[in-house]
PDB file of all heavy atoms in Angstrom:
ATOM      1  N   ILE A  21      39.132  11.355  18.352  1.00  0.00           N
ATOM      2  CA  ILE A  21      38.986  11.963  17.019  1.00  0.00           C
ATOM      3  C   ILE A  21      37.666  11.526  16.386  1.00  0.00           C
ATOM      4  O   ILE A  21      36.955  12.339  15.806  1.00  0.00           O
ATOM      5  CB  ILE A  21      40.179  11.600  16.114  1.00  0.00           C
ATOM      6  CG1 ILE A  21      41.447  12.254  16.661  1.00  0.00           C
ATOM      7  CG2 ILE A  21      39.916  12.004  14.666  1.00  0.00           C
ATOM      8  CD1 ILE A  21      42.710  11.836  15.955  1.00  0.00           C
ATOM      9  N   LEU A  22      37.331  10.248  16.512  1.00  0.00           N
ATOM     10  CA  LEU A  22      36.071   9.753  15.954  1.00  0.00           C
ATOM     11  C   LEU A  22      34.884  10.474  16.586  1.00  0.00           C
ATOM     12  O   LEU A  22      33.974  10.922  15.891  1.00  0.00           O
ATOM     13  CB  LEU A  22      35.946   8.249  16.160  1.00  0.00           C
ATOM     14  CG  LEU A  22      34.622   7.629  15.714  1.00  0.00           C
ATOM     15  CD1 LEU A  22      34.420   7.801  14.212  1.00  0.00           C
ATOM     16  CD2 LEU A  22      34.553   6.171  16.104  1.00  0.00           C
ATOM     17  N   LYS A  23      34.891  10.611  17.904  1.00  0.00           N
ATOM     18  CA  LYS A  23      33.775  11.280  18.586  1.00  0.00           C
ATOM     19  C   LYS A  23      33.672  12.742  18.178  1.00  0.00           C
ATOM     20  O   LYS A  23      32.569  13.258  17.961  1.00  0.00           O
ATOM     21  CB  LYS A  23      33.934  11.149  20.101  1.00  0.00           C
ATOM     22  CG  LYS A  23      33.632   9.742  20.578  1.00  0.00           C
ATOM     23  CD  LYS A  23      33.727   9.609  22.071  1.00  0.00           C
ATOM     24  CE  LYS A  23      33.380   8.174  22.460  1.00  0.00           C
ATOM     25  NZ  LYS A  23      33.436   7.938  23.875  1.00  0.00           N
ATOM     26  N   LYS A  24      34.795  13.431  18.033  1.00  0.00           N
ATOM     27  CA  LYS A  24      34.770  14.827  17.600  1.00  0.00           C
ATOM     28  C   LYS A  24      34.222  14.947  16.185  1.00  0.00           C
ATOM     29  O   LYS A  24      33.446  15.854  15.874  1.00  0.00           O
ATOM     30  CB  LYS A  24      36.161  15.445  17.681  1.00  0.00           C
ATOM     31  CG  LYS A  24      36.622  15.715  19.099  1.00  0.00           C
ATOM     32  CD  LYS A  24      38.028  16.267  19.122  1.00  0.00           C
ATOM     33  CE  LYS A  24      38.522  16.451  20.549  1.00  0.00           C
ATOM     34  NZ  LYS A  24      39.916  16.896  20.599  1.00  0.00           N
ATOM     35  N   MET A  25      34.615  14.030  15.315  1.00  0.00           N
ATOM     36  CA  MET A  25      34.132  14.050  13.942  1.00  0.00           C
ATOM     37  C   MET A  25      32.626  13.813  13.895  1.00  0.00           C
ATOM     38  O   MET A  25      31.886  14.540  13.224  1.00  0.00           O
ATOM     39  CB  MET A  25      34.835  12.983  13.101  1.00  0.00           C
ATOM     40  CG  MET A  25      34.390  12.968  11.655  1.00  0.00           C
ATOM     41  SD  MET A  25      34.911  11.510  10.762  1.00  0.00           S
ATOM     42  CE  MET A  25      33.897  10.258  11.506  1.00  0.00           C
ATOM     43  N   LEU A  26      32.150  12.826  14.626  1.00  0.00           N
ATOM     44  CA  LEU A  26      30.723  12.529  14.635  1.00  0.00           C
ATOM     45  C   LEU A  26      29.921  13.676  15.232  1.00  0.00           C
ATOM     46  O   LEU A  26      28.843  14.017  14.735  1.00  0.00           O
ATOM     47  CB  LEU A  26      30.454  11.230  15.389  1.00  0.00           C
ATOM     48  CG  LEU A  26      31.003   9.966  14.717  1.00  0.00           C
ATOM     49  CD1 LEU A  26      30.808   8.760  15.615  1.00  0.00           C
ATOM     50  CD2 LEU A  26      30.375   9.744  13.371  1.00  0.00           C
ATOM     51  N   ASN A  27      30.439  14.296  16.274  1.00  0.00           N
ATOM     52  CA  ASN A  27      29.758  15.449  16.869  1.00  0.00           C
ATOM     53  C   ASN A  27      29.763  16.641  15.914  1.00  0.00           C
ATOM     54  O   ASN A  27      28.807  17.416  15.886  1.00  0.00           O
ATOM     55  CB  ASN A  27      30.403  15.842  18.196  1.00  0.00           C
ATOM     56  CG  ASN A  27      30.078  14.856  19.298  1.00  0.00           C
ATOM     57  OD1 ASN A  27      29.068  14.171  19.245  1.00  0.00           O
ATOM     58  ND2 ASN A  27      30.939  14.758  20.283  1.00  0.00           N
ATOM     59  N   GLY A  28      30.824  16.796  15.136  1.00  0.00           N
ATOM     60  CA  GLY A  28      30.904  17.878  14.169  1.00  0.00           C
ATOM     61  C   GLY A  28      29.855  17.758  13.074  1.00  0.00           C
ATOM     62  O   GLY A  28      29.410  18.760  12.510  1.00  0.00           O
ATOM     63  N   GLN A  29      29.442  16.548  12.782  1.00  0.00           N
ATOM     64  CA  GLN A  29      28.424  16.343  11.749  1.00  0.00           C
ATOM     65  C   GLN A  29      27.051  16.809  12.204  1.00  0.00           C
ATOM     66  O   GLN A  29      26.169  17.042  11.376  1.00  0.00           O
ATOM     67  CB  GLN A  29      28.352  14.866  11.366  1.00  0.00           C
ATOM     68  CG  GLN A  29      29.570  14.390  10.613  1.00  0.00           C
ATOM     69  CD  GLN A  29      29.463  12.916  10.262  1.00  0.00           C
ATOM     70  OE1 GLN A  29      28.870  12.128  10.994  1.00  0.00           O
ATOM     71  NE2 GLN A  29      30.044  12.547   9.143  1.00  0.00           N
ATOM     72  N   ASN A  30      26.863  16.971  13.489  1.00  0.00           N
ATOM     73  CA  ASN A  30      25.554  17.370  14.017  1.00  0.00           C
ATOM     74  C   ASN A  30      25.131  18.761  13.553  1.00  0.00           C
ATOM     75  O   ASN A  30      23.944  19.070  13.574  1.00  0.00           O
ATOM     76  CB  ASN A  30      25.556  17.319  15.543  1.00  0.00           C
ATOM     77  CG  ASN A  30      25.693  15.895  16.049  1.00  0.00           C
ATOM     78  OD1 ASN A  30      25.407  14.946  15.341  1.00  0.00           O
ATOM     79  ND2 ASN A  30      26.130  15.754  17.281  1.00  0.00           N
ATOM     80  N   VAL A  31      26.077  19.599  13.140  1.00  0.00           N
ATOM     81  CA  VAL A  31      25.708  20.944  12.672  1.00  0.00           C
ATOM     82  C   VAL A  31      24.810  20.870  11.436  1.00  0.00           C
ATOM     83  O   VAL A  31      24.014  21.768  11.193  1.00  0.00           O
ATOM     84  CB  VAL A  31      26.943  21.824  12.374  1.00  0.00           C
ATOM     85  CG1 VAL A  31      27.772  22.026  13.611  1.00  0.00           C
ATOM     86  CG2 VAL A  31      27.768  21.248  11.254  1.00  0.00           C
ATOM     87  N   PHE A  32      24.909  19.789  10.690  1.00  0.00           N
ATOM     88  CA  PHE A  32      24.098  19.640   9.482  1.00  0.00           C
ATOM     89  C   PHE A  32      22.652  19.275   9.802  1.00  0.00           C
ATOM     90  O   PHE A  32      21.766  19.465   8.978  1.00  0.00           O
ATOM     91  CB  PHE A  32      24.705  18.595   8.546  1.00  0.00           C
ATOM     92  CG  PHE A  32      26.078  18.978   8.064  1.00  0.00           C
ATOM     93  CD1 PHE A  32      27.203  18.344   8.559  1.00  0.00           C
ATOM     94  CD2 PHE A  32      26.244  19.983   7.133  1.00  0.00           C
ATOM     95  CE1 PHE A  32      28.463  18.700   8.125  1.00  0.00           C
ATOM     96  CE2 PHE A  32      27.503  20.353   6.694  1.00  0.00           C
ATOM     97  CZ  PHE A  32      28.611  19.710   7.202  1.00  0.00           C
ATOM     98  N   ASP A  33      22.405  18.759  11.008  1.00  0.00           N
ATOM     99  CA  ASP A  33      21.047  18.374  11.384  1.00  0.00           C
ATOM    100  C   ASP A  33      20.106  19.572  11.442  1.00  0.00           C
ATOM    101  O   ASP A  33      18.907  19.426  11.218  1.00  0.00           O
ATOM    102  CB  ASP A  33      21.049  17.656  12.743  1.00  0.00           C
ATOM    103  CG  ASP A  33      21.780  16.327  12.688  1.00  0.00           C
ATOM    104  OD1 ASP A  33      21.955  15.793  11.573  1.00  0.00           O
ATOM    105  OD2 ASP A  33      22.177  15.829  13.753  1.00  0.00           O
ATOM    106  N   ALA A  34      20.641  20.734  11.742  1.00  0.00           N
ATOM    107  CA  ALA A  34      19.807  21.937  11.871  1.00  0.00           C
ATOM    108  C   ALA A  34      19.505  22.580  10.518  1.00  0.00           C
ATOM    109  O   ALA A  34      18.675  23.483  10.443  1.00  0.00           O
ATOM    110  CB  ALA A  34      20.505  22.946  12.779  1.00  0.00           C
ATOM    111  N   LEU A  35      20.156  22.123   9.458  1.00  0.00           N
ATOM    112  CA  LEU A  35      19.968  22.716   8.134  1.00  0.00           C
ATOM    113  C   LEU A  35      18.799  22.063   7.402  1.00  0.00           C
ATOM    114  O   LEU A  35      18.537  20.875   7.562  1.00  0.00           O
ATOM    115  CB  LEU A  35      21.230  22.558   7.290  1.00  0.00           C
ATOM    116  CG  LEU A  35      22.501  23.205   7.829  1.00  0.00           C
ATOM    117  CD1 LEU A  35      23.669  22.878   6.913  1.00  0.00           C
ATOM    118  CD2 LEU A  35      22.334  24.698   7.975  1.00  0.00           C
ATOM    119  N   SER A  36      18.142  22.837   6.574  1.00  0.00           N
ATOM    120  CA  SER A  36      17.083  22.281   5.730  1.00  0.00           C
ATOM    121  C   SER A  36      17.724  21.503   4.577  1.00  0.00           C
ATOM    122  O   SER A  36      18.917  21.676   4.275  1.00  0.00           O
ATOM    123  CB  SER A  36      16.210  23.401   5.165  1.00  0.00           C
ATOM    124  OG  SER A  36      16.938  24.159   4.212  1.00  0.00           O
ATOM    125  N   GLN A  37      16.942  20.694   3.925  1.00  0.00           N
ATOM    126  CA  GLN A  37      17.446  19.923   2.787  1.00  0.00           C
ATOM    127  C   GLN A  37      17.964  20.857   1.700  1.00  0.00           C
ATOM    128  O   GLN A  37      18.997  20.605   1.079  1.00  0.00           O
ATOM    129  CB  GLN A  37      16.341  19.014   2.231  1.00  0.00           C
ATOM    130  CG  GLN A  37      16.798  18.111   1.108  1.00  0.00           C
ATOM    131  CD  GLN A  37      17.822  17.078   1.553  1.00  0.00           C
ATOM    132  OE1 GLN A  37      17.829  16.652   2.698  1.00  0.00           O
ATOM    133  NE2 GLN A  37      18.688  16.687   0.650  1.00  0.00           N
ATOM    134  N   LYS A  38      17.259  21.966   1.478  1.00  0.00           N
ATOM    135  CA  LYS A  38      17.667  22.934   0.464  1.00  0.00           C
ATOM    136  C   LYS A  38      19.031  23.530   0.808  1.00  0.00           C
ATOM    137  O   LYS A  38      19.895  23.675  -0.061  1.00  0.00           O
ATOM    138  CB  LYS A  38      16.622  24.040   0.336  1.00  0.00           C
ATOM    139  CG  LYS A  38      16.949  25.054  -0.721  1.00  0.00           C
ATOM    140  CD  LYS A  38      15.892  26.132  -0.829  1.00  0.00           C
ATOM    141  CE  LYS A  38      16.313  27.132  -1.893  1.00  0.00           C
ATOM    142  NZ  LYS A  38      15.486  28.297  -1.935  1.00  0.00           N
ATOM    143  N   GLU A  39      19.243  23.881   2.087  1.00  0.00           N
ATOM    144  CA  GLU A  39      20.524  24.458   2.501  1.00  0.00           C
ATOM    145  C   GLU A  39      21.662  23.456   2.316  1.00  0.00           C
ATOM    146  O   GLU A  39      22.747  23.824   1.871  1.00  0.00           O
ATOM    147  CB  GLU A  39      20.458  24.889   3.973  1.00  0.00           C
ATOM    148  CG  GLU A  39      19.582  26.092   4.216  1.00  0.00           C
ATOM    149  CD  GLU A  39      19.398  26.378   5.688  1.00  0.00           C
ATOM    150  OE1 GLU A  39      19.090  25.438   6.454  1.00  0.00           O
ATOM    151  OE2 GLU A  39      19.570  27.552   6.066  1.00  0.00           O
ATOM    152  N   VAL A  40      21.402  22.200   2.621  1.00  0.00           N
ATOM    153  CA  VAL A  40      22.420  21.155   2.451  1.00  0.00           C
ATOM    154  C   VAL A  40      22.769  21.000   0.973  1.00  0.00           C
ATOM    155  O   VAL A  40      23.942  20.928   0.598  1.00  0.00           O
ATOM    156  CB  VAL A  40      21.946  19.814   3.046  1.00  0.00           C
ATOM    157  CG1 VAL A  40      22.887  18.681   2.676  1.00  0.00           C
ATOM    158  CG2 VAL A  40      21.803  19.913   4.556  1.00  0.00           C
ATOM    159  N   GLU A  41      21.759  20.959   0.127  1.00  0.00           N
ATOM    160  CA  GLU A  41      21.995  20.805  -1.313  1.00  0.00           C
ATOM    161  C   GLU A  41      22.742  21.997  -1.893  1.00  0.00           C
ATOM    162  O   GLU A  41      23.638  21.825  -2.727  1.00  0.00           O
ATOM    163  CB  GLU A  41      20.668  20.599  -2.036  1.00  0.00           C
ATOM    164  CG  GLU A  41      20.042  19.252  -1.747  1.00  0.00           C
ATOM    165  CD  GLU A  41      18.638  19.107  -2.308  1.00  0.00           C
ATOM    166  OE1 GLU A  41      18.156  20.040  -2.988  1.00  0.00           O
ATOM    167  OE2 GLU A  41      18.026  18.062  -2.056  1.00  0.00           O
TER     168      GLU A  41
END
Side-chain angles (χ1 to χ4, degrees):
I21 293 173
L22 176 63
K23 287 182 179 180
K24 287 177 184 176
M25 181 193 70
L26 293 174
N27 287 335
Q29 290 180 328
N30 293 339
V31 299
F32 298 106
D33 294 341
L35 300 177
S36 70
Q37 184 66 29
K38 182 180 179 189
E39 290 173 312
V40 171
E41 290 172 3

